[in-house]
C-alpha cells in the first residue's frame, strides 16, 4: 500500500495550509510595505532668492542620486566595477542642511534663525577657521575651493497648504538684504552673522504630502554638502551642537570617508523636558524603544535614541543609504540606521541639547501605532531579504 494512502483524510489539506503561510505573509508584506513614489518633474526643481531680492524662477536641482543610478546600470552591464557606482562626486559646499517642513509657517523662522547664525559663523566665507572641524586648519580658511567652506539649506515643503514656502523665501530675502529682525527660536541665541550669500536657502515643493521620511530622503538626494544633516523644522534640537556631530564623524569615519552621527536625547531621560510630557506619551515612547531593541539589527538596537530628528552623514555614506529607503513616515530614521549598519558604516551617538516645542504634528496614539506597524514591516522585509541593497 502506498504510504500516502495511510495519511488520514484532511491531513494533506492541513499541511498545505501550513506550507502556504510564508506565501500569505509575503503577500501581506507586499500589500503593507511602503513603496516610495518617484519624484515629479516640479519636485526636482527649487526656487531661491536672487542677489537683487527677487524670487528666482524654478531651477533644476543637482542630483548625485541620478548619477548613482546611471552608474549602477553601467555596473550591471559590466562596463564599470560595482564599487565605482558608489563613488559620489565631491561636495560643492561643506554643509548641507535638509529641513522637512509640513505646514510650518509658525515655527520655521525661529529654527532657520539659529541654523543660519551657526552655519554662517562656522562655514561662511569670511576668513575664519572652522570652529567645528577637528582638522579645519589643514586648509586656508576662506580660500577658493576650500571644502570646509560654504553651506546650503534645502527646505522641503512636504505638500504644505499654509505659507511655509513663502515664509522660507521671506526669511532668505530679509537675511540676504540684511534687513531681518531677530526671530529667535526656542534657544534664544544671539545673532552674529551679517547678510547671507544669495541662493544659500533653496526651497523645494512636493506636490503632495509624502511624510517626513519622504521629504528628508528627497532633500538628501539633491544635497551638495561634504556633510549632510537633517533637522526638524520646529528647532527643538540645539543647532549649535552640530559641531559635535561633525567632530564625531571625522573621528569615526572609515577609510572610504563614511560615517553617521546620531544626535541623541537619551541623556535627558528624567529631566524636566521629558518628565513634563504626558504619562501616555512617555509610556508609548518606552514601549517603542523596547520594540526597537527587540526588532532591529544588533548595532541599530544599541542606539539609545533612534528618533531624534538631528542626524549627520558624510557624503561618501549617502549612496549606501539614500537609494534604498522604503519608509516615508516616522520610522524612516530606523531604516537609515539599519542600512548604514548593513553597509558596515561607522555610527556614533552624540548627546545634544533639546527642548519640547509646541505645535507638533505627531498624533501620539495614531502615529505610535503606525510606527509600530512600520517597524514590524521593516523588520520582516529586512529579515526575509526582500529589501535589496545591491
Amino acid at each position: 500500500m502506498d504510504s500516502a494512502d495511510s495519511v488520514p483524510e484532511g491531513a494533506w489539506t492541513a499541511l498545505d495550509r501550513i506550507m502556504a503561510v510564508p506565501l500569505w505573509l509575503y503577500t501581506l508584506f507586499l500589500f503593507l510595505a511602503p513603496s516610495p513614489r518617484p519624484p515629479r518633474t516640479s519636485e526636482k526643481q527649487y526656487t531661491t532668492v536672487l542677489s537683487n531680492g527677487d524670487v528666482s524662477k524654478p531651477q533644476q536641482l543637482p542630483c548625485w542620486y541620478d548619477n548613482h543610478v546611471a552608474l549602477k546600470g553601467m555596473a550591471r552591464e559590466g562596463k564599470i566595477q560595482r564599487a565605482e557606482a558608489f563613488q559620489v562626486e565631491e561636495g560643492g559646499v561643506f554643509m548641507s542642511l535638509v529641513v522637512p517642513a509640513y505646514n510650518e509657517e509658525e515655527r520655521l523662522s525661529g529654527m532657520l534663525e539659529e541654523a543660519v547664525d551657526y552655519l554662517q559663523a562656522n562655514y561662511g566665507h569670511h576668513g575664519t577657521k572652522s570652529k567645528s572641524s577637528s582638522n579645519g586648519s589643514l586648509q586656508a580658511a576662506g580660500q577658493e575651493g576650500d571644502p570646509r567652506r560654504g553651506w546650503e539649506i534645502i527646505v522641503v515643503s512636504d505638500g504644505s497648504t499654509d505659507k511655509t514656502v513663502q515664509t522660507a523665501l521671506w526669511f532668505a530675502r530679509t537675511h540676504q538684504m540684511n534687513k531681518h529682525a531677530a526671530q529667535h527660536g526656542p534657544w534664544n541665541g544671539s545673532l552674529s552673522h551679517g547678510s547671507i550669500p544669495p541662493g544659500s536657502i533653496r526651497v523645494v515643493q512636493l506636490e503632495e504630502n509624502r511624510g517626513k521620511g519622504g521629504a528628508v530622503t528627497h532633500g538628501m538626494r539633491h544635497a551638495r554638502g561634504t556633510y549632510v544633516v537633517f533637522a526638524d523644522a520646529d528647532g527643538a534640537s540645539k543647532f549649535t551642537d552640530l559641531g559635535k556631530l561633525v567632530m564625531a564623524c571625522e573621528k569615526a569615519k572609515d577609510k572610504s570617508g563614511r560615517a553617521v552621527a546620531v544626535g541623541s536625547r537619551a541623556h535627558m531621560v528624567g529631566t524636566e523636558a521629558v518628565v513634563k510630557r504626558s504619562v501616555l506619551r512617555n509610556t508609548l515612547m518606552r514601549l517603542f524603544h523596547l520594540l526597537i531593541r527587540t526588532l532591529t539589527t544588533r548595532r541599530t538596537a544599541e542606539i539609545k535614541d533612534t528618533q531624534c530628528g538631528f542626524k549627520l552623514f558624510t557624503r561618501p555614506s549617502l549612496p549606501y543609504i539614500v537609494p534604498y529607503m522604503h519608509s516615508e513616515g516616522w520610522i524612516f530614521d530606523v531604516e537609515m540606521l539599519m542600512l548604514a549598519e548593513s553597509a558596515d558604516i561607522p555610527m556614533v551617538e552624540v548627546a545634544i541639547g533639546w527642548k519640547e516645542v509646541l505645535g507638533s504634528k505627531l498624533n501620539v496614539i495614531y502615529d505610535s501605532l503606525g510606527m509600530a506597524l512600520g517597524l514590524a514591516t521593516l523588520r520582516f522585509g529586512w529579515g526575509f531579504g526582500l529589501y535589496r541593497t545591491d
Side-chain angles (χ1 to χ4, degrees):
M1 181 176 64
D2 191 283
S3 60
D5 294 335
S6 64
V7 178
E9 184 178 355
W12 287 112
T13 302
L15 180 61
D16 290 342
R17 289 173 180 171
I18 294 173
M19 296 297 291
V21 168
L23 178 61
W24 280 107
L25 288 175
Y26 182 81
T27 303
L28 180 63
F29 172 80
L30 292 180
F31 178 76
L32 294 176
S35 180
R37 67 169 175 83
R40 296 165 183 170
T41 301
S42 69
E43 296 173 342
K44 302 191 74 171
Q45 299 177 328
Y46 72 95
T47 54
T48 190
V49 175
L50 305 174
S51 57
N52 63 0
D54 292 340
V55 175
S56 72
K57 294 180 179 180
Q59 302 180 45
Q60 192 70 22
L61 281 164
C63 189
W64 64 263
Y65 170 82
D66 287 347
N67 186 56
H68 170 71
V69 171
L71 289 175
K72 283 187 67 177
M74 294 175 63
R76 284 191 291 269
E77 295 172 2
K79 296 179 179 179
I80 62 173
Q81 296 295 318
R82 182 176 181 273
E84 294 181 56
F86 290 83
Q87 295 177 4
V88 64
E89 70 275 10
E90 291 187 5
V93 294
F94 181 69
M95 184 64 65
S96 290
L97 165 62
V98 175
V99 183
Y102 175 63
N103 291 344
E104 291 287 0
E105 64 172 303
E106 296 295 331
R107 304 191 296 180
L108 183 60
S109 291
M111 179 271 171
L112 290 176
E113 194 73 61
E114 185 188 1
V116 164
D117 193 43
Y118 183 85
L119 292 171
Q120 185 65 4
N122 287 272
Y123 308 124
H125 290 271
H126 48 61
T128 60
K129 295 180 180 179
S130 174
K131 299 175 184 176
S132 61
S133 171
S134 61
N135 58 347
S137 60
L138 295 179
Q139 292 279 352
Q143 185 178 5
E144 185 69 25
D146 181 354
R148 300 187 182 281
R149 288 291 168 266
W151 57 271
E152 67 174 353
I153 296 177
I154 303 174
V155 177
V156 183
S157 175
D158 189 18
S160 298
T161 57
D162 66 352
K163 296 181 179 179
T164 293
V165 171
Q166 295 90 325
T167 299
L169 292 171
W170 169 85
F171 181 95
R173 179 187 295 111
T174 56
H175 285 65
Q176 284 180 197
M177 309 303 289
N178 201 19
K179 296 180 179 180
H180 60 281
Q183 298 287 331
H184 297 303
W187 299 99
N188 294 319
S190 60
L191 300 176
S192 59
H193 63 75
S195 60
I196 65 175
S200 298
I201 298 177
R202 300 181 169 193
V203 181
V204 180
Q205 299 184 59
L206 301 186
E207 293 182 13
E208 60 183 73
N209 182 264
R210 296 183 64 169
K212 180 181 175 182
V216 169
T217 300
H218 185 80
M220 292 180 71
R221 286 180 173 184
H222 302 283
R224 297 178 293 152
T226 300
Y227 281 94
V228 179
V229 63
F230 68 81
D232 292 340
D234 59 5
S237 300
K238 189 175 182 180
F239 204 85
T240 52
D241 285 335
L242 176 60
K244 294 164 62 176
L245 271 65
V246 173
M247 295 184 71
C249 269
E250 293 193 344
K251 293 177 181 178
K253 61 188 178 183
D254 61 17
K255 62 181 181 181
S256 298
R258 305 179 308 165
V260 177
V262 181
S264 176
R265 305 159 295 184
H267 63 292
M268 301 185 70
V269 174
T271 63
E272 183 180 10
V274 175
V275 171
K276 281 189 173 181
R277 286 178 167 180
S278 67
V279 174
L280 175 62
R281 184 167 181 178
N282 279 326
T283 300
L284 291 174
M285 177 186 69
R286 294 188 182 95
L287 289 174
F288 180 71
H289 288 166
L290 177 62
L291 280 176
I292 288 177
R293 289 194 294 272
T294 303
L295 295 178
T296 57
T297 43
R298 182 183 61 82
R299 285 171 53 201
T300 300
E302 293 173 355
I303 301 294
K304 297 183 178 64
D305 183 7
T306 62
Q307 300 308 111
C308 180
F310 201 50
K311 294 181 175 65
L312 179 73
F313 303 77
T314 63
R315 190 170 187 81
S317 69
L318 299 182
Y320 296 88
I321 299 173
V322 175
Y324 307 105
M325 290 293 297
H326 295 80
S327 303
E328 295 198 307
W330 298 102
I331 202 65
F332 82 99
D333 301 76
V334 176
E335 184 171 19
M336 281 186 162
L337 297 177
M338 291 175 68
L339 285 166
E341 179 179 353
S342 72
D344 201 26
I345 296 174
M347 296 186 293
V348 57
E349 193 167 10
V350 181
I352 64 166
W354 179 85
K355 283 188 178 182
E356 189 83 45
V357 180
L358 296 177
S360 172
K361 306 295 188 302
L362 180 71
N363 182 301
V364 175
I365 297 178
Y366 175 81
D367 288 321
S368 294
L369 291 174
M371 290 167 71
L373 177 61
L375 183 58
T377 303
L378 176 63
R379 191 64 182 95
F380 182 89
W382 195 270
F384 282 81
L386 301 177
Y387 283 173
R388 296 180 63 85
T389 56
D390 57 7

